[in-house]
Amino acid sequence: ETGVTQTPRHLVMGMTNKKSLKCEQHLGHNAMYWYKQSAKKPLELMFVYNFKEQTENNSVPSRFSPECPNSSHLFLHLHTLQPEDSALYLCASSQEGLAGHNEQFFGPGTRLTVL
Amino acid sequence: QKEVEQNSGPLSVPEGAIASLNCTYSDRGSQSFFWYRQYSGKSPELIMSIYSNGDKEDGRFTAQLNKASQYVSLLIRDSQPSDSATYLCAVIKPGTYKYIFGTGTRLKVLA
């Protein structure tokens, strides 16, 4: 595997379900990010982890719960979601998260549909 | 005022022409700027990064940065139909870990 991988690629869940999104980066980076992309809206940053520590939480509802066990893996745990949470969820990584000349690379995304 | 602004388009150019995509940003302290290409249904793909005033060229792509005027642009020379996509401008918010993205400009290259 190379680059940034995400699983599953597609997910359909009911509002009462609990599911998790997984991201893995094979680039040796130290920072990982979760984004939400809805139709006709800009990419919305959700969470940032830098060396496994959460450094940004962009006022994300508690029904989204991130977990970063190490610098290569990032999870997004989902529970009691709403239909408006349906979107493309993108994971990204960069060498480090501290503001600077850090190029960010994205995974393929998980297309989430909440019924 | 939005932190990063782009014209949503679509911008239509004929094959072989130069496509010019523009982006303005509000925070004068911004130092790092990126252009991404996103095909429909796919994730963003990094095209170029630029950190200093002036031009940076990579193949058919040239990024231009003017910090005094707070804009960054992307020129695509010899545009091809395969360049048809949405182009996203991103800026790192100074002093934070946040990348702020514009809404993107949709480019159509007509064969």
Side-chain angles (χ1 to χ4, degrees), chain A residues 3 13 20-21 25 38 40 45 48 52 54 68 70 89 92 94 104-105:
Chain A
M13 60 187 290
S20 295
L21 309 185
Q25 60 92 3
S38 304
K40 299 186 179 179
L45 180 67
V48 181
K52 302 189 299 179
Q54 188 180 119
C68 187
N70 54 60
Y89 287 84
S94 68
Q104 197 172 79
F105 297 89

Short mmCIF file of all heavy atoms in Angstrom, two decimals, chain A residues 3 13 20-21 25 38 40 45 48 52 54 68 70 89 92 94 104-105:
data_model
loop_
_atom_site.label_atom_id
_atom_site.label_comp_id
_atom_site.label_asym_id
_atom_site.label_seq_id
_atom_site.Cartn_x
_atom_site.Cartn_y
_atom_site.Cartn_z
N GLY A 3 0.82 5.78 -0.10
CA GLY A 3 0.02 6.98 0.09
C GLY A 3 -0.90 6.87 1.30
O GLY A 3 -0.52 6.36 2.35
N MET A 13 -25.50 3.92 6.59
CA MET A 13 -25.85 3.59 7.97
C MET A 13 -27.13 4.29 8.40
O MET A 13 -27.48 5.35 7.87
CB MET A 13 -24.71 3.93 8.92
CG MET A 13 -24.30 5.37 8.95
SD MET A 13 -22.81 5.66 9.96
CE MET A 13 -23.45 5.39 11.62
N SER A 20 -17.29 2.93 12.21
CA SER A 20 -16.01 3.63 12.28
C SER A 20 -15.39 3.72 10.90
O SER A 20 -15.47 2.78 10.10
CB SER A 20 -15.04 2.91 13.21
OG SER A 20 -15.51 2.93 14.54
N LEU A 21 -14.77 4.86 10.62
CA LEU A 21 -13.98 5.05 9.41
C LEU A 21 -12.51 4.91 9.80
O LEU A 21 -12.08 5.37 10.86
CB LEU A 21 -14.22 6.44 8.82
CG LEU A 21 -15.66 6.86 8.60
CD1 LEU A 21 -15.70 8.22 7.89
CD2 LEU A 21 -16.44 5.83 7.82
N GLN A 25 -1.84 6.04 6.76
CA GLN A 25 -0.90 6.70 5.84
C GLN A 25 0.44 5.97 5.86
O GLN A 25 0.92 5.55 6.92
CB GLN A 25 -0.76 8.20 6.17
CG GLN A 25 -0.26 8.55 7.55
CD GLN A 25 1.23 8.73 7.66
OE1 GLN A 25 1.95 8.65 6.64
NE2 GLN A 25 1.72 8.97 8.85
N SER A 38 -19.16 18.32 1.70
CA SER A 38 -20.57 18.23 1.29
C SER A 38 -20.71 18.92 -0.06
O SER A 38 -19.88 19.75 -0.44
CB SER A 38 -21.46 18.93 2.31
OG SER A 38 -21.27 18.39 3.59
N LYS A 40 -21.35 21.33 -2.91
CA LYS A 40 -21.38 22.78 -3.05
C LYS A 40 -20.92 23.53 -1.81
O LYS A 40 -21.30 24.68 -1.60
CB LYS A 40 -22.78 23.25 -3.47
CG LYS A 40 -23.21 22.66 -4.81
CD LYS A 40 -24.52 23.22 -5.30
CE LYS A 40 -24.89 22.60 -6.64
NZ LYS A 40 -26.16 23.08 -7.18
N LEU A 45 -12.51 21.38 7.61
CA LEU A 45 -11.62 20.67 8.51
C LEU A 45 -12.39 20.27 9.77
O LEU A 45 -13.12 21.08 10.34
CB LEU A 45 -10.45 21.58 8.89
CG LEU A 45 -9.42 20.98 9.84
CD1 LEU A 45 -8.67 19.84 9.18
CD2 LEU A 45 -8.44 22.07 10.30
N VAL A 48 -7.52 17.68 13.66
CA VAL A 48 -6.11 17.55 13.31
C VAL A 48 -5.39 16.85 14.46
O VAL A 48 -5.62 17.17 15.63
CB VAL A 48 -5.44 18.93 13.08
CG1 VAL A 48 -3.96 18.73 12.71
CG2 VAL A 48 -6.16 19.73 12.02
N LYS A 52 0.19 12.25 17.22
CA LYS A 52 -0.87 11.53 17.96
C LYS A 52 -1.68 12.42 18.89
O LYS A 52 -2.62 11.95 19.53
CB LYS A 52 -0.30 10.36 18.78
CG LYS A 52 0.46 9.33 18.00
CD LYS A 52 0.79 8.12 18.86
CE LYS A 52 1.66 8.51 20.05
NZ LYS A 52 1.97 7.34 20.92
N GLN A 54 -4.30 15.52 19.59
CA GLN A 54 -5.28 16.34 18.87
C GLN A 54 -4.94 17.81 19.06
O GLN A 54 -4.82 18.29 20.20
CB GLN A 54 -6.70 16.06 19.39
CG GLN A 54 -7.78 16.74 18.55
CD GLN A 54 -9.17 16.47 19.06
OE1 GLN A 54 -9.89 17.38 19.43
NE2 GLN A 54 -9.57 15.21 19.09
N CYS A 68 -6.62 8.53 17.39
CA CYS A 68 -5.35 8.44 16.69
C CYS A 68 -4.38 7.64 17.54
O CYS A 68 -3.67 8.22 18.37
CB CYS A 68 -4.80 9.84 16.40
SG CYS A 68 -3.34 9.86 15.35
N ASN A 70 -1.66 6.02 16.71
CA ASN A 70 -0.25 6.27 16.36
C ASN A 70 -0.22 7.19 15.15
O ASN A 70 -1.27 7.50 14.57
CB ASN A 70 0.49 4.96 16.09
CG ASN A 70 -0.19 4.10 15.05
OD1 ASN A 70 -0.36 4.53 13.91
ND2 ASN A 70 -0.60 2.90 15.45
N TYR A 89 -16.11 11.90 3.42
CA TYR A 89 -15.18 12.13 4.51
C TYR A 89 -13.78 11.78 4.04
O TYR A 89 -13.50 10.66 3.61
CB TYR A 89 -15.60 11.32 5.75
CG TYR A 89 -16.83 11.93 6.38
CD1 TYR A 89 -18.10 11.60 5.89
CD2 TYR A 89 -16.73 12.87 7.39
CE1 TYR A 89 -19.24 12.19 6.43
CE2 TYR A 89 -17.87 13.46 7.93
CZ TYR A 89 -19.11 13.11 7.43
OH TYR A 89 -20.24 13.71 7.95
N ALA A 92 -6.39 13.06 5.46
CA ALA A 92 -5.18 13.59 4.84
C ALA A 92 -4.03 13.48 5.83
O ALA A 92 -4.24 13.33 7.04
CB ALA A 92 -5.38 15.04 4.40
N SER A 94 0.22 15.06 6.53
CA SER A 94 1.34 15.90 6.13
C SER A 94 2.52 15.59 7.04
O SER A 94 2.36 14.93 8.07
CB SER A 94 0.96 17.39 6.20
OG SER A 94 0.76 17.80 7.54
N GLN A 104 -0.03 18.63 2.05
CA GLN A 104 -1.00 17.70 2.59
C GLN A 104 -1.47 16.77 1.48
O GLN A 104 -1.75 17.23 0.36
CB GLN A 104 -2.18 18.52 3.12
CG GLN A 104 -3.10 17.81 4.04
CD GLN A 104 -4.10 18.79 4.63
OE1 GLN A 104 -5.06 19.16 3.98
NE2 GLN A 104 -3.88 19.20 5.84
N PHE A 105 -1.55 15.48 1.80
CA PHE A 105 -1.96 14.48 0.81
C PHE A 105 -3.22 13.78 1.30
O PHE A 105 -3.31 13.39 2.46
CB PHE A 105 -0.83 13.47 0.58
CG PHE A 105 0.39 14.11 0.00
CD1 PHE A 105 1.38 14.63 0.83
CD2 PHE A 105 0.56 14.22 -1.36
CE1 PHE A 105 2.50 15.25 0.32
CE2 PHE A 105 1.69 14.83 -1.90
CZ PHE A 105 2.66 15.35 -1.05
#
